[in-house]
Amino acid sequence: MDNLAPPKPGARPASSFVYDKAFVNGEWVAASSGKTFEVVNPANGKVIGSVPDMDATDTERAIKVAYKAFQSWKETTAKERSTLLRKWANLVNENIEELSKLLTSEMGKPLAEAKGEITYGGGFLELFAEECKRVEGDIIQTPVKSRRLLVLKQPIGVSGMITPWNFPNAMITRKAGAAIAAGCTVVLKPAEDTPYSALALCDLAKEAGIPAGVLNVVTSSRNNAGQVGKTICESPLVTKMSFTGSTAVGKLLLQQCASTVKKVSLELGGNAPFIVFESADVDAAVQGVMGAKFRCSGQTCVCANRIFVHESIYDEFVQKMAVVVEKDLKLGDGIDPGTTQGPLINKKAVEKIEAHVQDAVSKGAKVVCGGKSKGGNFFEPTILTEVTNEMRCSREEIFGPIAGIIRFKTEEEVVGLANATSSGLAGYFYSRDFSQIWRVAERLESGLVGVNEGVISTPDAPFGGWKESGLGSEGGRYGIEEYLEIKYVCMGGLQ
Ligand code: NAP
């Protein structure tokens, strides 16, 4: 935690959120094996600290704790849960500066983006503090005079969660906020690279008065992730599993959950098309693609992965985009003011991006700007032209700062290409043709569509993928439903 400016007077320093323990039953605990692993700043390779490397035994203990806590938490009123969630949200907002520094130091995204994520993350707690008071049942018209038919919605139980490194705060509040609001308890495994943002949320939850055992965070290294995940997925005490991460791991967890027929939510990888039609406002589309492509150095599941531009405006779009990339993007340590592009998460990510550029160039793509790694985990923001839908950067999720631009001729052709993928998370397009806007918004096979907007996520709206991008929805009023069971009660024998 070097390099950080001192906190504002009265605020907690970011270093006070750096723990060497995990959080189970309201206490800071070590792994039963005593093992730990190091957390490294991806911008400079320096070790921030170490946290417990927990395993299946520790996970089972956390599940038992969460199961016991569920017996009383489910009896609380929505109003009681709402008050605590609201306090938690307030504490997140009060500590935004220091939580952002912590997030940037472990994940690498620029400080301004980290603040954006903490605001977004706190927004889920605020939203679910409100939504839990609106969980309502039903009374159904009875076909039999002596009966009344009721529908109750009740908390599903202990909810297991596994989250990724690219949104170390918001992916936790989006899941845990909804679960806790619904009356469930949580056992959560954060990513190896970013445990501190998860532990900071536990600290603030405790300060807010959320009872022991309601939120439990089990930290583990990549080596132990498999056994922690399997324990959660196969435990009969866990009745819900929610995962955000890669499609490959999501499929594995879905299989593991089959043995206990858990309710499963999956938020998986994407391959978002970003289409610029001939009627588009080109300058607005360029601004839109900058956010959709380069936010978080291209490491978000909703990042534009394939940029399709109509042949009539292709050259103009490329030229304008190159000017903005050269002028506005600055690579560096996210903690430095002025940095817009932080490091990638690790060396493996840099190698993957290099391989994507090499593959594209070997098949005829041209490098307009960037194209090289800059040492450490840094990679230049890159524009490639003459990209085709067959290249690796079009077929796979890039997860890095490469903008591959594909030429198209007709709406029918481009919608076909956009949908020719097993992913279906986000899609974007720019057009000023009203009929086309409706046609394309309805025809894109994805759970989220941005029309003349490049960044569309908000706690208030549902977030979920179609096809292999996921199951279920998070956020908005839909998010809390994932943690509820429906019960039909038939009251009979009425005179
Ligand atoms: P990942 O490898 O699937 O990791 C995600 C989480 O799963 C981490 O906590 C990881 O732990 C854990 N994990 C890995 N292998 C596991 C196993 N065998 N069993 C149980 N848990 C396991 O994904 P990532 O590369 O870190 O994250 C990027 C991916 O997440 C991208 O595909 C991105 O699109 C997706 N994502 C999706 C959304 C969405 O809402 N749809 C949002 C953000 C990210 P370790 O860190 O310890 O390996």
Side-chain angles (χ1 to χ4, degrees), residues 162-167 171 174 189-193 220-223 225-230 243-250 252-253 256 266-270 299-302 397 399 425 463 465 469 474:
I162 299 180
T163 52
W165 48 265
N166 62 345
F167 286 89
M171 292 306 98
R174 189 160 84 178
K189 189 206 96 64
E192 178 194 70
D193 298 303
S220 88
S221 71
R222 209 147 275 150
N223 286 342
Q227 57 172 303
V228 170
K230 193 164 188 285
F243 170 74
T244 294
S246 62
T247 305
V249 173
L252 175 74
L253 300 180
Q256 291 173 353
L266 299 173
E267 298 293 347
L268 307 178
Q299 302 172 106
T300 86
C301 52
V302 291
E397 190 179 30
F399 239 59
L425 189 55
F463 190 110
S469 287
E474 297 189 316

Side-chain angles (χ1 to χ4, degrees), residues 368-431:
V368 174
C369 58
K372 294 189 294 296
S373 74
K374 298 292 280 180
N377 294 332
F378 292 95
F379 198 92
E380 292 175 324
T382 298
I383 299 180
L384 301 176
T385 53
E386 310 312 329
V387 168
T388 65
N389 222 28
E390 283 68 49
M391 294 175 183
R392 261 189 84 184
C393 62
S394 301
R395 285 187 287 108
E396 296 173 17
E397 190 179 30
I398 300 171
F399 239 59
I402 306 175
I405 310 185
I406 304 172
R407 217 179 271 272
F408 75 90
K409 284 186 169 60
T410 67
E411 179 186 310
E412 195 187 355
E413 172 202 8
V414 78
V415 171
L417 287 171
N419 289 338
T421 163
S422 56
S423 303
L425 189 55
Y428 309 87
F429 66 94
Y430 277 68
S431 168

